[in-house]
Amino acid sequence: DTGVSQDPRHKITKRGQNVTFRCDPISEHNRLYWYRQTLGQGPEFLTYFQNEAQLEKSRLLSDRFSAERPKGSFSTLEIQRTEQGDSAMYLCASSLPPQGLASTGELFFGEGSRLTVL
Amino acid sequence: SQKIEQNSEALNIQEGKTATLTCNYTNYSPAYLQWYRQDPGRGPVFLLLIRENEKEKRKERLKVTFDTTLKQSLFHITASQPADSATYLCAFYSSASKIIFGSGTRLSIRP
């Protein structure tokens, strides 16, 4: 397995346009996360899936953001009517649930999708 | 709400010295803490996990401590090298599934 992959790596768009990012997690991982990161800040939690179910969503996430994981494999994050404040790195991560003393519950991150809204 | 604080100022130290980074948390008692490394333009990479019943964890030149009384974790890199220059993030599970991160500390090792 080659790890978590994200596409596109970079996206430049004009304000008001819709954008969609795709994430392909590590195949045996049932947990998938989306984070947003701006310069000088740590990753900010956006949403989480276990298999195809979206189990948690940040209260900070506006209605313009929607995420799906239709078959419990890849996931998409769509931002509608983009604003300049949406400019950030969007990170996807996958993991197995932490179980047992040997488990670290670590997140495996992709390289991110950098969004610039003009 | 749960909060993680890391020193937002960059840490600059001489090669060969020990770097010590601090992570403080409030309004929560995590069962364990994770540390990640992030290089510019890349996603974070997991380094170490320490559980609440472990005072110290080591991995090669890395050492992590966890003080549940002080609500603090310290991350040490001994015999630091310029290749250790990166941003280091601490994180914990704030629920059964949600992991939250600190803002990270940027470490710079000068030759």
Side-chain angles (χ1 to χ4, degrees), chain A residues 31 33 35 37 42-43 45 48 56 98 101 103-107 109-111, chain B residues 32 34 36 38 42-44 46 49 51 93 95-99 101-103:
Chain A
R31 293 186 166 195
Y33 298 78
Y35 287 85
Q37 187 175 29
F45 174 84
Y48 153 73
E56 192 163 353
L101 292 177
S103 170
T104 62
E106 66 187 273
L107 297 184
F109 281 89
E111 298 290 39
Chain B
Y32 47 86
Q34 300 175 333
Y36 290 79
Q38 186 173 27
R42 309 293 295 273
F46 173 81
L49 171 142
R51 302 177 191 279
Y93 274 84
S95 67
S97 54
K98 177 180 172 181
I99 298 179
F101 286 81
S103 58

PDB file of all heavy atoms in Angstrom, chain A residues 31 33 35 37 42-43 45 48 56 98 101 103-107 109-111, chain B residues 32 34 36 38 42-44 46 49 51 93 95-99 101-103:
ATOM      1  N   ARG A  31     -11.218   4.105   9.641  1.00  0.00           N
ATOM      2  CA  ARG A  31     -11.439   5.471  10.099  1.00  0.00           C
ATOM      3  C   ARG A  31     -10.804   6.458   9.118  1.00  0.00           C
ATOM      4  O   ARG A  31      -9.676   6.250   8.676  1.00  0.00           O
ATOM      5  CB  ARG A  31     -10.841   5.686  11.483  1.00  0.00           C
ATOM      6  CG  ARG A  31     -11.542   4.883  12.570  1.00  0.00           C
ATOM      7  CD  ARG A  31     -11.003   5.247  13.930  1.00  0.00           C
ATOM      8  NE  ARG A  31     -11.862   4.743  15.003  1.00  0.00           N
ATOM      9  CZ  ARG A  31     -11.807   5.135  16.263  1.00  0.00           C
ATOM     10  NH1 ARG A  31     -10.910   6.043  16.620  1.00  0.00           N
ATOM     11  NH2 ARG A  31     -12.617   4.630  17.162  1.00  0.00           N
ATOM     12  N   TYR A  33     -10.395  10.803   8.466  1.00  0.00           N
ATOM     13  CA  TYR A  33     -10.519  12.132   9.052  1.00  0.00           C
ATOM     14  C   TYR A  33     -10.189  13.204   8.014  1.00  0.00           C
ATOM     15  O   TYR A  33      -9.321  13.016   7.160  1.00  0.00           O
ATOM     16  CB  TYR A  33      -9.525  12.320  10.210  1.00  0.00           C
ATOM     17  CG  TYR A  33      -9.692  11.401  11.378  1.00  0.00           C
ATOM     18  CD1 TYR A  33      -9.232  10.082  11.344  1.00  0.00           C
ATOM     19  CD2 TYR A  33     -10.292  11.852  12.558  1.00  0.00           C
ATOM     20  CE1 TYR A  33      -9.376   9.240  12.438  1.00  0.00           C
ATOM     21  CE2 TYR A  33     -10.430  11.021  13.665  1.00  0.00           C
ATOM     22  CZ  TYR A  33      -9.972   9.712  13.594  1.00  0.00           C
ATOM     23  OH  TYR A  33     -10.114   8.887  14.676  1.00  0.00           O
ATOM     24  N   TYR A  35      -8.976  17.292   8.139  1.00  0.00           N
ATOM     25  CA  TYR A  35      -8.497  18.411   8.935  1.00  0.00           C
ATOM     26  C   TYR A  35      -8.203  19.581   8.003  1.00  0.00           C
ATOM     27  O   TYR A  35      -7.931  19.406   6.820  1.00  0.00           O
ATOM     28  CB  TYR A  35      -7.202  18.053   9.678  1.00  0.00           C
ATOM     29  CG  TYR A  35      -7.365  17.122  10.851  1.00  0.00           C
ATOM     30  CD1 TYR A  35      -7.399  15.744  10.664  1.00  0.00           C
ATOM     31  CD2 TYR A  35      -7.472  17.625  12.149  1.00  0.00           C
ATOM     32  CE1 TYR A  35      -7.544  14.885  11.747  1.00  0.00           C
ATOM     33  CE2 TYR A  35      -7.617  16.774  13.234  1.00  0.00           C
ATOM     34  CZ  TYR A  35      -7.649  15.403  13.023  1.00  0.00           C
ATOM     35  OH  TYR A  35      -7.793  14.559  14.100  1.00  0.00           O
ATOM     36  N   GLN A  37      -5.667  23.081   7.906  1.00  0.00           N
ATOM     37  CA  GLN A  37      -4.512  23.688   8.558  1.00  0.00           C
ATOM     38  C   GLN A  37      -4.124  24.971   7.853  1.00  0.00           C
ATOM     39  O   GLN A  37      -3.956  25.004   6.634  1.00  0.00           O
ATOM     40  CB  GLN A  37      -3.325  22.717   8.559  1.00  0.00           C
ATOM     41  CG  GLN A  37      -2.131  23.199   9.368  1.00  0.00           C
ATOM     42  CD  GLN A  37      -1.026  22.171   9.453  1.00  0.00           C
ATOM     43  OE1 GLN A  37      -0.847  21.354   8.561  1.00  0.00           O
ATOM     44  NE2 GLN A  37      -0.270  22.197  10.548  1.00  0.00           N
ATOM     45  N   GLY A  42      -1.849  24.307  14.079  1.00  0.00           N
ATOM     46  CA  GLY A  42      -1.942  22.862  13.972  1.00  0.00           C
ATOM     47  C   GLY A  42      -3.166  22.464  13.176  1.00  0.00           C
ATOM     48  O   GLY A  42      -4.032  23.305  12.880  1.00  0.00           O
ATOM     49  N   PRO A  43      -3.264  21.191  12.804  1.00  0.00           N
ATOM     50  CA  PRO A  43      -4.455  20.726  12.091  1.00  0.00           C
ATOM     51  C   PRO A  43      -5.715  20.916  12.931  1.00  0.00           C
ATOM     52  O   PRO A  43      -5.723  20.585  14.117  1.00  0.00           O
ATOM     53  CB  PRO A  43      -4.156  19.241  11.876  1.00  0.00           C
ATOM     54  CG  PRO A  43      -2.667  19.124  11.940  1.00  0.00           C
ATOM     55  CD  PRO A  43      -2.251  20.144  12.952  1.00  0.00           C
ATOM     56  N   PHE A  45      -9.624  19.904  13.406  1.00  0.00           N
ATOM     57  CA  PHE A  45     -10.546  18.820  13.075  1.00  0.00           C
ATOM     58  C   PHE A  45     -11.759  19.351  12.332  1.00  0.00           C
ATOM     59  O   PHE A  45     -12.385  20.340  12.720  1.00  0.00           O
ATOM     60  CB  PHE A  45     -11.003  18.137  14.365  1.00  0.00           C
ATOM     61  CG  PHE A  45     -12.065  17.091  14.176  1.00  0.00           C
ATOM     62  CD1 PHE A  45     -11.730  15.797  13.823  1.00  0.00           C
ATOM     63  CD2 PHE A  45     -13.403  17.394  14.374  1.00  0.00           C
ATOM     64  CE1 PHE A  45     -12.704  14.824  13.657  1.00  0.00           C
ATOM     65  CE2 PHE A  45     -14.387  16.430  14.209  1.00  0.00           C
ATOM     66  CZ  PHE A  45     -14.037  15.142  13.854  1.00  0.00           C
ATOM     67  N   TYR A  48     -15.142  13.266  10.691  1.00  0.00           N
ATOM     68  CA  TYR A  48     -14.619  11.925  10.883  1.00  0.00           C
ATOM     69  C   TYR A  48     -15.630  10.895  10.384  1.00  0.00           C
ATOM     70  O   TYR A  48     -16.844  11.049  10.584  1.00  0.00           O
ATOM     71  CB  TYR A  48     -14.326  11.728  12.375  1.00  0.00           C
ATOM     72  CG  TYR A  48     -14.388  10.300  12.872  1.00  0.00           C
ATOM     73  CD1 TYR A  48     -13.390   9.394  12.541  1.00  0.00           C
ATOM     74  CD2 TYR A  48     -15.445   9.874  13.666  1.00  0.00           C
ATOM     75  CE1 TYR A  48     -13.444   8.091  12.988  1.00  0.00           C
ATOM     76  CE2 TYR A  48     -15.503   8.565  14.129  1.00  0.00           C
ATOM     77  CZ  TYR A  48     -14.497   7.685  13.784  1.00  0.00           C
ATOM     78  OH  TYR A  48     -14.552   6.387  14.229  1.00  0.00           O
ATOM     79  N   GLU A  56     -18.876  12.270  13.270  1.00  0.00           N
ATOM     80  CA  GLU A  56     -18.652  13.521  13.995  1.00  0.00           C
ATOM     81  C   GLU A  56     -18.274  14.619  13.005  1.00  0.00           C
ATOM     82  O   GLU A  56     -17.577  14.366  12.024  1.00  0.00           O
ATOM     83  CB  GLU A  56     -17.553  13.345  15.050  1.00  0.00           C
ATOM     84  CG  GLU A  56     -17.461  14.495  16.038  1.00  0.00           C
ATOM     85  CD  GLU A  56     -16.687  14.149  17.299  1.00  0.00           C
ATOM     86  OE1 GLU A  56     -16.320  12.967  17.492  1.00  0.00           O
ATOM     87  OE2 GLU A  56     -16.458  15.076  18.101  1.00  0.00           O
ATOM     88  N   PRO A  98      -7.818   2.567  18.039  1.00  0.00           N
ATOM     89  CA  PRO A  98      -6.832   2.121  19.028  1.00  0.00           C
ATOM     90  C   PRO A  98      -7.388   0.976  19.860  1.00  0.00           C
ATOM     91  O   PRO A  98      -8.392   1.119  20.527  1.00  0.00           O
ATOM     92  CB  PRO A  98      -6.603   3.369  19.882  1.00  0.00           C
ATOM     93  CG  PRO A  98      -7.825   4.186  19.708  1.00  0.00           C
ATOM     94  CD  PRO A  98      -8.353   3.894  18.335  1.00  0.00           C
ATOM     95  N   LEU A 101      -2.848  -2.705  24.108  1.00  0.00           N
ATOM     96  CA  LEU A 101      -1.669  -1.970  24.534  1.00  0.00           C
ATOM     97  C   LEU A 101      -0.694  -1.721  23.398  1.00  0.00           C
ATOM     98  O   LEU A 101       0.064  -0.758  23.431  1.00  0.00           O
ATOM     99  CB  LEU A 101      -0.968  -2.737  25.664  1.00  0.00           C
ATOM    100  CG  LEU A 101      -1.741  -2.814  26.989  1.00  0.00           C
ATOM    101  CD1 LEU A 101      -0.985  -3.664  27.989  1.00  0.00           C
ATOM    102  CD2 LEU A 101      -1.970  -1.417  27.548  1.00  0.00           C
ATOM    103  N   SER A 103      -1.424  -0.938  20.392  1.00  0.00           N
ATOM    104  CA  SER A 103      -1.973  -0.032  19.388  1.00  0.00           C
ATOM    105  C   SER A 103      -1.663   1.410  19.753  1.00  0.00           C
ATOM    106  O   SER A 103      -1.755   1.812  20.912  1.00  0.00           O
ATOM    107  CB  SER A 103      -3.485  -0.224  19.298  1.00  0.00           C
ATOM    108  OG  SER A 103      -4.062   0.779  18.502  1.00  0.00           O
ATOM    109  N   THR A 104      -1.337   2.193  18.741  1.00  0.00           N
ATOM    110  CA  THR A 104      -1.054   3.605  18.992  1.00  0.00           C
ATOM    111  C   THR A 104      -2.201   4.497  18.546  1.00  0.00           C
ATOM    112  O   THR A 104      -2.246   5.657  18.910  1.00  0.00           O
ATOM    113  CB  THR A 104       0.202   4.052  18.236  1.00  0.00           C
ATOM    114  OG1 THR A 104      -0.024   3.901  16.837  1.00  0.00           O
ATOM    115  CG2 THR A 104       1.422   3.237  18.667  1.00  0.00           C
ATOM    116  N   GLY A 105      -3.127   3.969  17.756  1.00  0.00           N
ATOM    117  CA  GLY A 105      -4.208   4.791  17.236  1.00  0.00           C
ATOM    118  C   GLY A 105      -3.704   5.955  16.399  1.00  0.00           C
ATOM    119  O   GLY A 105      -4.385   6.969  16.257  1.00  0.00           O
ATOM    120  N   GLU A 106      -2.506   5.802  15.829  1.00  0.00           N
ATOM    121  CA  GLU A 106      -1.911   6.922  15.108  1.00  0.00           C
ATOM    122  C   GLU A 106      -2.669   7.211  13.829  1.00  0.00           C
ATOM    123  O   GLU A 106      -3.285   6.335  13.227  1.00  0.00           O
ATOM    124  CB  GLU A 106      -0.456   6.606  14.772  1.00  0.00           C
ATOM    125  CG  GLU A 106      -0.305   5.461  13.785  1.00  0.00           C
ATOM    126  CD  GLU A 106       1.122   5.032  13.573  1.00  0.00           C
ATOM    127  OE1 GLU A 106       1.781   5.630  12.699  1.00  0.00           O
ATOM    128  OE2 GLU A 106       1.556   4.111  14.267  1.00  0.00           O
ATOM    129  N   LEU A 107      -2.601   8.476  13.434  1.00  0.00           N
ATOM    130  CA  LEU A 107      -3.168   8.902  12.168  1.00  0.00           C
ATOM    131  C   LEU A 107      -2.082   8.845  11.095  1.00  0.00           C
ATOM    132  O   LEU A 107      -0.952   9.263  11.323  1.00  0.00           O
ATOM    133  CB  LEU A 107      -3.700  10.323  12.268  1.00  0.00           C
ATOM    134  CG  LEU A 107      -4.849  10.568  13.250  1.00  0.00           C
ATOM    135  CD1 LEU A 107      -5.315  12.010  13.145  1.00  0.00           C
ATOM    136  CD2 LEU A 107      -6.000   9.617  12.996  1.00  0.00           C
ATOM    137  N   PHE A 109      -1.350  10.474   7.634  1.00  0.00           N
ATOM    138  CA  PHE A 109      -1.794  11.622   6.849  1.00  0.00           C
ATOM    139  C   PHE A 109      -1.371  11.511   5.388  1.00  0.00           C
ATOM    140  O   PHE A 109      -0.308  10.956   5.071  1.00  0.00           O
ATOM    141  CB  PHE A 109      -1.205  12.918   7.416  1.00  0.00           C
ATOM    142  CG  PHE A 109      -1.908  13.434   8.634  1.00  0.00           C
ATOM    143  CD1 PHE A 109      -1.522  13.014   9.899  1.00  0.00           C
ATOM    144  CD2 PHE A 109      -2.952  14.335   8.529  1.00  0.00           C
ATOM    145  CE1 PHE A 109      -2.165  13.482  11.035  1.00  0.00           C
ATOM    146  CE2 PHE A 109      -3.603  14.817   9.653  1.00  0.00           C
ATOM    147  CZ  PHE A 109      -3.206  14.391  10.910  1.00  0.00           C
ATOM    148  N   GLY A 110      -2.184  12.102   4.528  1.00  0.00           N
ATOM    149  CA  GLY A 110      -1.768  12.339   3.159  1.00  0.00           C
ATOM    150  C   GLY A 110      -0.941  13.610   3.096  1.00  0.00           C
ATOM    151  O   GLY A 110      -0.686  14.254   4.118  1.00  0.00           O
ATOM    152  N   GLU A 111      -0.530  13.983   1.881  1.00  0.00           N
ATOM    153  CA  GLU A 111       0.309  15.172   1.718  1.00  0.00           C
ATOM    154  C   GLU A 111      -0.515  16.454   1.690  1.00  0.00           C
ATOM    155  O   GLU A 111       0.042  17.541   1.692  1.00  0.00           O
ATOM    156  CB  GLU A 111       1.143  15.050   0.439  1.00  0.00           C
ATOM    157  CG  GLU A 111       2.103  13.863   0.438  1.00  0.00           C
ATOM    158  CD  GLU A 111       3.256  14.034   1.398  1.00  0.00           C
ATOM    159  OE1 GLU A 111       3.075  14.557   2.525  1.00  0.00           O
ATOM    160  OE2 GLU A 111       4.375  13.629   1.046  1.00  0.00           O
TER     161      GLU A 111
ATOM    162  N   TYR B  32      -3.951   9.054  26.673  1.00  0.00           N
ATOM    163  CA  TYR B  32      -2.609   9.061  26.101  1.00  0.00           C
ATOM    164  C   TYR B  32      -2.422  10.258  25.177  1.00  0.00           C
ATOM    165  O   TYR B  32      -3.386  10.852  24.699  1.00  0.00           O
ATOM    166  CB  TYR B  32      -2.281   7.760  25.370  1.00  0.00           C
ATOM    167  CG  TYR B  32      -3.328   7.254  24.417  1.00  0.00           C
ATOM    168  CD1 TYR B  32      -3.380   7.697  23.098  1.00  0.00           C
ATOM    169  CD2 TYR B  32      -4.253   6.303  24.814  1.00  0.00           C
ATOM    170  CE1 TYR B  32      -4.321   7.218  22.228  1.00  0.00           C
ATOM    171  CE2 TYR B  32      -5.195   5.820  23.949  1.00  0.00           C
ATOM    172  CZ  TYR B  32      -5.226   6.275  22.657  1.00  0.00           C
ATOM    173  OH  TYR B  32      -6.160   5.794  21.792  1.00  0.00           O
ATOM    174  N   GLN B  34      -0.097  11.789  21.814  1.00  0.00           N
ATOM    175  CA  GLN B  34       0.713  11.446  20.650  1.00  0.00           C
ATOM    176  C   GLN B  34       1.564  12.647  20.264  1.00  0.00           C
ATOM    177  O   GLN B  34       1.165  13.795  20.475  1.00  0.00           O
ATOM    178  CB  GLN B  34      -0.178  11.070  19.467  1.00  0.00           C
ATOM    179  CG  GLN B  34      -1.087   9.874  19.713  1.00  0.00           C
ATOM    180  CD  GLN B  34      -2.033   9.640  18.552  1.00  0.00           C
ATOM    181  OE1 GLN B  34      -2.384  10.543  17.836  1.00  0.00           O
ATOM    182  NE2 GLN B  34      -2.449   8.382  18.372  1.00  0.00           N
ATOM    183  N   TYR B  36       3.715  14.182  16.843  1.00  0.00           N
ATOM    184  CA  TYR B  36       3.899  14.078  15.394  1.00  0.00           C
ATOM    185  C   TYR B  36       4.961  15.080  14.961  1.00  0.00           C
ATOM    186  O   TYR B  36       5.146  16.125  15.584  1.00  0.00           O
ATOM    187  CB  TYR B  36       2.600  14.423  14.652  1.00  0.00           C
ATOM    188  CG  TYR B  36       1.494  13.405  14.795  1.00  0.00           C
ATOM    189  CD1 TYR B  36       0.715  13.353  15.944  1.00  0.00           C
ATOM    190  CD2 TYR B  36       1.202  12.509  13.758  1.00  0.00           C
ATOM    191  CE1 TYR B  36      -0.306  12.424  16.080  1.00  0.00           C
ATOM    192  CE2 TYR B  36       0.176  11.581  13.876  1.00  0.00           C
ATOM    193  CZ  TYR B  36      -0.566  11.543  15.042  1.00  0.00           C
ATOM    194  OH  TYR B  36      -1.584  10.628  15.162  1.00  0.00           O
ATOM    195  N   GLN B  38       6.049  17.419  11.544  1.00  0.00           N
ATOM    196  CA  GLN B  38       5.557  17.916  10.269  1.00  0.00           C
ATOM    197  C   GLN B  38       6.615  18.764   9.594  1.00  0.00           C
ATOM    198  O   GLN B  38       7.099  19.732  10.167  1.00  0.00           O
ATOM    199  CB  GLN B  38       4.262  18.729  10.450  1.00  0.00           C
ATOM    200  CG  GLN B  38       3.630  19.137   9.127  1.00  0.00           C
ATOM    201  CD  GLN B  38       2.279  19.786   9.296  1.00  0.00           C
ATOM    202  OE1 GLN B  38       1.988  20.384  10.326  1.00  0.00           O
ATOM    203  NE2 GLN B  38       1.422  19.671   8.287  1.00  0.00           N
ATOM    204  N   ARG B  42       4.149  19.251   3.992  1.00  0.00           N
ATOM    205  CA  ARG B  42       3.876  17.808   4.098  1.00  0.00           C
ATOM    206  C   ARG B  42       2.856  17.546   5.195  1.00  0.00           C
ATOM    207  O   ARG B  42       2.606  18.375   6.068  1.00  0.00           O
ATOM    208  CB  ARG B  42       5.167  17.054   4.422  1.00  0.00           C
ATOM    209  CG  ARG B  42       6.358  17.356   3.540  1.00  0.00           C
ATOM    210  CD  ARG B  42       6.167  16.879   2.126  1.00  0.00           C
ATOM    211  NE  ARG B  42       6.080  15.439   2.022  1.00  0.00           N
ATOM    212  CZ  ARG B  42       7.128  14.648   1.898  1.00  0.00           C
ATOM    213  NH1 ARG B  42       8.348  15.124   1.900  1.00  0.00           N
ATOM    214  NH2 ARG B  42       6.946  13.332   1.769  1.00  0.00           N
ATOM    215  N   GLY B  43       2.260  16.366   5.189  1.00  0.00           N
ATOM    216  CA  GLY B  43       1.373  15.986   6.263  1.00  0.00           C
ATOM    217  C   GLY B  43       2.160  15.548   7.488  1.00  0.00           C
ATOM    218  O   GLY B  43       3.316  15.145   7.385  1.00  0.00           O
ATOM    219  N   PRO B  44       1.557  15.628   8.672  1.00  0.00           N
ATOM    220  CA  PRO B  44       2.245  15.188   9.895  1.00  0.00           C
ATOM    221  C   PRO B  44       2.548  13.694   9.857  1.00  0.00           C
ATOM    222  O   PRO B  44       1.809  12.910   9.255  1.00  0.00           O
ATOM    223  CB  PRO B  44       1.238  15.509  11.008  1.00  0.00           C
ATOM    224  CG  PRO B  44       0.344  16.558  10.433  1.00  0.00           C
ATOM    225  CD  PRO B  44       0.249  16.234   8.969  1.00  0.00           C
ATOM    226  N   PHE B  46       3.504  10.454  12.489  1.00  0.00           N
ATOM    227  CA  PHE B  46       3.485  10.000  13.879  1.00  0.00           C
ATOM    228  C   PHE B  46       4.880   9.619  14.353  1.00  0.00           C
ATOM    229  O   PHE B  46       5.650   8.974  13.620  1.00  0.00           O
ATOM    230  CB  PHE B  46       2.552   8.787  13.994  1.00  0.00           C
ATOM    231  CG  PHE B  46       2.564   8.122  15.336  1.00  0.00           C
ATOM    232  CD1 PHE B  46       1.821   8.633  16.386  1.00  0.00           C
ATOM    233  CD2 PHE B  46       3.305   6.968  15.545  1.00  0.00           C
ATOM    234  CE1 PHE B  46       1.822   8.018  17.627  1.00  0.00           C
ATOM    235  CE2 PHE B  46       3.319   6.344  16.768  1.00  0.00           C
ATOM    236  CZ  PHE B  46       2.576   6.858  17.813  1.00  0.00           C
ATOM    237  N   LEU B  49       3.784   7.595  21.072  1.00  0.00           N
ATOM    238  CA  LEU B  49       2.604   7.677  21.927  1.00  0.00           C
ATOM    239  C   LEU B  49       3.034   7.388  23.353  1.00  0.00           C
ATOM    240  O   LEU B  49       3.884   6.527  23.588  1.00  0.00           O
ATOM    241  CB  LEU B  49       1.566   6.640  21.475  1.00  0.00           C
ATOM    242  CG  LEU B  49       0.361   6.444  22.399  1.00  0.00           C
ATOM    243  CD1 LEU B  49      -0.898   6.217  21.581  1.00  0.00           C
ATOM    244  CD2 LEU B  49       0.566   5.274  23.347  1.00  0.00           C
ATOM    245  N   ARG B  51       1.196   6.728  27.272  1.00  0.00           N
ATOM    246  CA  ARG B  51      -0.061   6.506  27.987  1.00  0.00           C
ATOM    247  C   ARG B  51       0.000   7.163  29.368  1.00  0.00           C
ATOM    248  O   ARG B  51       1.093   7.391  29.892  1.00  0.00           O
ATOM    249  CB  ARG B  51      -0.334   5.013  28.111  1.00  0.00           C
ATOM    250  CG  ARG B  51      -0.394   4.316  26.769  1.00  0.00           C
ATOM    251  CD  ARG B  51      -0.596   2.806  26.876  1.00  0.00           C
ATOM    252  NE  ARG B  51      -0.377   2.166  25.580  1.00  0.00           N
ATOM    253  CZ  ARG B  51      -1.275   2.107  24.618  1.00  0.00           C
ATOM    254  NH1 ARG B  51      -2.469   2.609  24.804  1.00  0.00           N
ATOM    255  NH2 ARG B  51      -0.984   1.535  23.459  1.00  0.00           N
ATOM    256  N   TYR B  93      -6.667  12.074  21.837  1.00  0.00           N
ATOM    257  CA  TYR B  93      -8.053  11.728  21.555  1.00  0.00           C
ATOM    258  C   TYR B  93      -8.935  12.481  22.554  1.00  0.00           C
ATOM    259  O   TYR B  93      -8.892  12.222  23.754  1.00  0.00           O
ATOM    260  CB  TYR B  93      -8.286  10.225  21.725  1.00  0.00           C
ATOM    261  CG  TYR B  93      -7.971   9.397  20.510  1.00  0.00           C
ATOM    262  CD1 TYR B  93      -6.673   8.977  20.251  1.00  0.00           C
ATOM    263  CD2 TYR B  93      -8.969   9.016  19.616  1.00  0.00           C
ATOM    264  CE1 TYR B  93      -6.383   8.209  19.145  1.00  0.00           C
ATOM    265  CE2 TYR B  93      -8.691   8.243  18.502  1.00  0.00           C
ATOM    266  CZ  TYR B  93      -7.388   7.854  18.272  1.00  0.00           C
ATOM    267  OH  TYR B  93      -7.098   7.094  17.172  1.00  0.00           O
ATOM    268  N   SER B  95     -12.189  12.392  22.327  1.00  0.00           N
ATOM    269  CA  SER B  95     -13.338  11.501  22.467  1.00  0.00           C
ATOM    270  C   SER B  95     -12.868  10.153  21.941  1.00  0.00           C
ATOM    271  O   SER B  95     -11.682   9.981  21.681  1.00  0.00           O
ATOM    272  CB  SER B  95     -14.537  12.012  21.676  1.00  0.00           C
ATOM    273  OG  SER B  95     -14.270  11.949  20.280  1.00  0.00           O
ATOM    274  N   ALA B  96     -13.784   9.214  21.771  1.00  0.00           N
ATOM    275  CA  ALA B  96     -13.385   7.884  21.297  1.00  0.00           C
ATOM    276  C   ALA B  96     -12.811   7.921  19.897  1.00  0.00           C
ATOM    277  O   ALA B  96     -12.106   7.008  19.479  1.00  0.00           O
ATOM    278  CB  ALA B  96     -14.586   6.942  21.339  1.00  0.00           C
ATOM    279  N   SER B  97     -13.109   9.000  19.171  1.00  0.00           N
ATOM    280  CA  SER B  97     -12.707   9.008  17.776  1.00  0.00           C
ATOM    281  C   SER B  97     -12.013  10.295  17.329  1.00  0.00           C
ATOM    282  O   SER B  97     -11.294  10.296  16.346  1.00  0.00           O
ATOM    283  CB  SER B  97     -13.934   8.806  16.887  1.00  0.00           C
ATOM    284  OG  SER B  97     -14.921   9.761  17.208  1.00  0.00           O
ATOM    285  N   LYS B  98     -12.193  11.385  18.039  1.00  0.00           N
ATOM    286  CA  LYS B  98     -11.701  12.684  17.576  1.00  0.00           C
ATOM    287  C   LYS B  98     -10.338  12.980  18.175  1.00  0.00           C
ATOM    288  O   LYS B  98     -10.167  12.940  19.384  1.00  0.00           O
ATOM    289  CB  LYS B  98     -12.709  13.759  17.971  1.00  0.00           C
ATOM    290  CG  LYS B  98     -12.318  15.177  17.615  1.00  0.00           C
ATOM    291  CD  LYS B  98     -13.420  16.126  18.076  1.00  0.00           C
ATOM    292  CE  LYS B  98     -13.015  17.573  17.932  1.00  0.00           C
ATOM    293  NZ  LYS B  98     -14.105  18.469  18.409  1.00  0.00           N
ATOM    294  N   ILE B  99      -9.373  13.290  17.328  1.00  0.00           N
ATOM    295  CA  ILE B  99      -8.034  13.668  17.784  1.00  0.00           C
ATOM    296  C   ILE B  99      -7.868  15.159  17.549  1.00  0.00           C
ATOM    297  O   ILE B  99      -8.116  15.656  16.444  1.00  0.00           O
ATOM    298  CB  ILE B  99      -6.954  12.887  17.020  1.00  0.00           C
ATOM    299  CG1 ILE B  99      -7.101  11.389  17.275  1.00  0.00           C
ATOM    300  CG2 ILE B  99      -5.558  13.354  17.425  1.00  0.00           C
ATOM    301  CD1 ILE B  99      -6.087  10.537  16.547  1.00  0.00           C
ATOM    302  N   PHE B 101      -5.233  18.588  17.906  1.00  0.00           N
ATOM    303  CA  PHE B 101      -3.808  18.909  17.846  1.00  0.00           C
ATOM    304  C   PHE B 101      -3.531  20.261  18.479  1.00  0.00           C
ATOM    305  O   PHE B 101      -4.371  21.163  18.464  1.00  0.00           O
ATOM    306  CB  PHE B 101      -3.344  18.969  16.381  1.00  0.00           C
ATOM    307  CG  PHE B 101      -3.214  17.630  15.729  1.00  0.00           C
ATOM    308  CD1 PHE B 101      -4.324  16.976  15.216  1.00  0.00           C
ATOM    309  CD2 PHE B 101      -1.976  17.014  15.626  1.00  0.00           C
ATOM    310  CE1 PHE B 101      -4.208  15.737  14.615  1.00  0.00           C
ATOM    311  CE2 PHE B 101      -1.849  15.778  15.020  1.00  0.00           C
ATOM    312  CZ  PHE B 101      -2.969  15.137  14.521  1.00  0.00           C
ATOM    313  N   GLY B 102      -2.313  20.389  19.008  1.00  0.00           N
ATOM    314  CA  GLY B 102      -1.823  21.695  19.388  1.00  0.00           C
ATOM    315  C   GLY B 102      -1.376  22.463  18.159  1.00  0.00           C
ATOM    316  O   GLY B 102      -1.404  21.945  17.037  1.00  0.00           O
ATOM    317  N   SER B 103      -0.949  23.703  18.367  1.00  0.00           N
ATOM    318  CA  SER B 103      -0.549  24.547  17.242  1.00  0.00           C
ATOM    319  C   SER B 103       0.849  24.225  16.741  1.00  0.00           C
ATOM    320  O   SER B 103       1.245  24.677  15.676  1.00  0.00           O
ATOM    321  CB  SER B 103      -0.629  26.025  17.632  1.00  0.00           C
ATOM    322  OG  SER B 103       0.201  26.267  18.748  1.00  0.00           O
TER     323      SER B 103
END
